[in-house]
Amino acid sequence: MNDKIIVTGGCGYIGSHTVIELIKNNYKVIILDDLSNSSEETLDRIEKITGKKPTFINIDLKDADITNEVFKSHKDAKAVIHFAAYKAVGESINNPLKYYQNNLYSLLNTLSSQIENGINNFIFSSSATVYGTPNKLPITERNETQRPFSSYGNTKKVAEEILDDLINSNATFSAISLRYFNPIGAHESGLIGELPSGTPNNLMPYITQTAVGIREKLMVYGNDYPTKDGTPIRDYIHVVDLAKAHVIAVKRLIHKKQETAFETFNLGTGNGFSVLDVIHTFESVTNSKLNYEIVERRAGDVPELYASTDLAKEKLGWTADKSLEEMIRSSWNWEQKLRNKTS
Ligand code: UFG
């Protein structure tokens, strides 16, 4: 029988790509999602791509009783991958309680429900934001964590601390925290991708929405950073590469290959690209000019962030293999398909 995996937030951007990879690897997927930042249509698209429709349960994980009921009816699941969370950095700074309430209640209810029902494997969707402003590059998992600038970021850091405490108190529970750098790109079919609600916060969707004519121009937040061209450097990673790492982590947990009960891995490519690199690559991939303007710095941006990928390579046997061009091409393909459908 195929192993069952519960995926919270499975209709979202990274969640839906991971569900596809899980199905491709013959897992039976149960998606728990409240559709607060995603759409049920994603399920049909997953079915189009994989030939299988995952089981979907519309549930608010902040409700402890309902969450426990759902986990009780799926207590044969082998692992939980927890994506469900709010993720808008700026909004979290203006409304911290919304972020702490949603991201932490849903985490706590998921953890207590799964443990009560004997599901002892957990994968956490974390972020490079837990490193704050790094004093050493590339960032290894041994870099010390710092209090992130945003409340969103702090929910990720606090969540990792909760997991650490939980593992120290519970001999049967195991977890892997995956710290994402900057996920971009979309599924090659163009059927699944990132769909930010309202004005995008992140660079890639802002670029594609500008190019397609939804936004007038891209604001580049500062060109006076201590980097080669003055714009901040990030480690962009293709969402499909990221999704594949989750399948490897699931296998590692189910087959008890972990070296310690709580492991943490960076998921990046190890390559840093500046904002201008991304813009120029976009222009060359699409053979077009992007309307952009250099403006003031955005609060909280760090100058440079890229991963050491050694640990994930050594322990998981995973490396990201898609180039920046491929990431951008797939994001653009997704944006255009979306636009054609709605216009
Ligand atoms: N940028 C612009 N204009 C925009 C959007 C972004 O110039 O309209 C710049 C930013 O200033 C930054 C770079 O593009 O230099 C990347 O910005 P993103 O918002 O795409 O990504 P961040 O690195 O700020 O944030 C990402 C994730 C967060 C996570 C953080 C951890 O989106 O979830 O990394 O560092 F918390």
Side-chain angles (χ1 to χ4, degrees):
M1 211 180 75
N2 298 342
D3 282 340
K4 185 189 272 189
I5 311 294
I6 294 175
V7 181
T8 76
C11 290
Y13 173 45
I14 303 173
S16 58
H17 286 86
T18 300
V19 167
I20 289 167
E21 296 304 317
L22 287 166
I23 294 173
K24 278 208 229 158
N25 279 269
N26 294 317
Y27 288 102
K28 180 167 171 33
V29 176
I30 313 293
I31 294 180
L32 312 185
D33 202 306
D34 67 357
L35 302 177
S36 58
N37 192 23
S38 58
S39 147
E40 212 170 334
E41 201 189 327
T42 303
L43 300 166
D44 299 328
R45 292 167 174 234
I46 291 172
E47 187 180 14
K48 250 190 210 154
I49 293 167
T50 63
K52 286 192 190 130
K53 197 166 182 169
T55 302
F56 169 63
I57 301 170
N58 189 335
I59 174 186
D60 180 355
L61 297 168
K62 292 196 293 305
D63 186 324
D65 292 339
I66 293 178
T67 303
N68 196 41
E69 278 308 304
V70 166
F71 276 80
K72 201 190 247 171
S73 58
H74 291 287
K75 51 165 57 174
D76 56 333
K78 292 284 189 284
V80 175
I81 310 181
H82 185 59
F83 292 105
Y86 293 157
K87 59 169 188 175
V89 172
E91 186 191 39
S92 79
I93 293 166
N94 295 326
N95 199 348
L97 288 184
K98 177 176 172 182
Y99 274 69
Y100 288 116
Q101 275 167 348
N102 185 67
N103 293 6
L104 296 180
Y105 281 146
S106 60
L107 170 76
L108 294 172
N109 290 337
T110 298
L111 290 172
S112 51
S113 301
Q114 72 171 95
I115 289 171
E116 195 171 321
N117 291 291
I119 309 166
N120 285 312
N121 293 320
F122 184 80
I123 292 174
F124 183 60
S125 179
S126 190
S127 164
T129 194
V130 301
Y131 294 114
T133 305
N135 43 27
K136 228 175 106 221
L137 289 163
I139 302 172
T140 74
E141 292 77 355
R142 289 182 302 283
N143 269 56
E144 82 184 34
T145 58
Q146 295 171 11
R147 192 193 189 295
F149 171 77
S150 71
S151 303
Y152 152 77
N154 205 34
T155 66
K156 296 295 179 190
K157 182 166 181 293
V158 170
E160 289 195 352
E161 289 164 359
I162 291 170
L163 287 172
D164 206 30
D165 287 352
L166 181 57
I167 272 149
N168 288 330
S169 72
N170 181 325
T172 49
F173 187 76
S174 299
I176 294 178
S177 183
L178 299 174
R179 293 174 175 165
Y180 314 149
F181 280 67
N182 285 59
I184 61 169
H187 192 264
E188 59 177 4
S189 62
L191 290 169
I192 300 275
E194 187 174 12
L195 189 54
S197 53
T199 311
N201 297 294
N202 298 115
L203 180 63
M204 199 63 230
Y206 211 107
I207 288 178
T208 56
Q209 289 195 8
T210 304
V212 90
I214 301 172
R215 312 273 155 211
E216 194 205 329
K217 68 177 154 193
L218 171 76
M219 306 297 172
V220 173
Y221 299 127
N223 67 349
D224 57 351
Y225 286 90
T227 60
K228 57 174 185 172
D229 60 22
T231 62
I233 287 178
R234 294 289 181 274
D235 185 339
Y236 296 93
I237 172 164
H238 199 298
V239 66
V240 173
D241 278 333
L242 205 65
K244 288 178 178 165
H246 291 73
V247 178
I248 296 172
V250 160
K251 289 185 178 156
R252 186 172 175 87
L253 283 171
I254 294 178
H255 301 296
K256 306 216 174 303
K257 296 277 195 267
Q258 285 183 285
E259 291 178 9
T260 56
F262 187 24
E263 293 180 324
T264 300
F265 297 101
N266 287 342
L267 297 183
T269 64
N271 303 315
F273 291 101
S274 72
V275 175
L276 290 178
D277 285 336
V278 175
I279 292 172
H280 296 144
T281 309
F282 180 85
E283 290 181 329
S284 81
V285 163
T286 59
N287 200 18
S288 65
K289 279 272 157 226
L290 188 77
N291 191 18
Y292 71 90
E293 185 188 337
I294 311 285
V295 298
E296 287 294 292
R297 288 183 180 196
R298 179 171 75 175
D301 279 341
V302 300
E304 199 163 0
L305 214 54
Y306 57 92
S308 160
T309 56
D310 294 348
L311 196 68
K313 189 172 181 183
E314 187 191 328
K315 307 287 182 196
L316 302 178
W318 172 90
T319 45
D321 55 32
K322 295 191 192 299
S323 66
L324 183 65
E325 282 79 6
E326 289 174 272
M327 301 179 210
I328 290 175
R329 203 171 285 119
S330 64
S331 290
W332 182 229
N333 180 38
W334 156 248
E335 184 71 64
Q336 284 178 303
K337 281 218 160 108
L338 205 63
R339 183 71 177 159
N340 287 340
K341 188 192 149 247
T342 49
S343 60

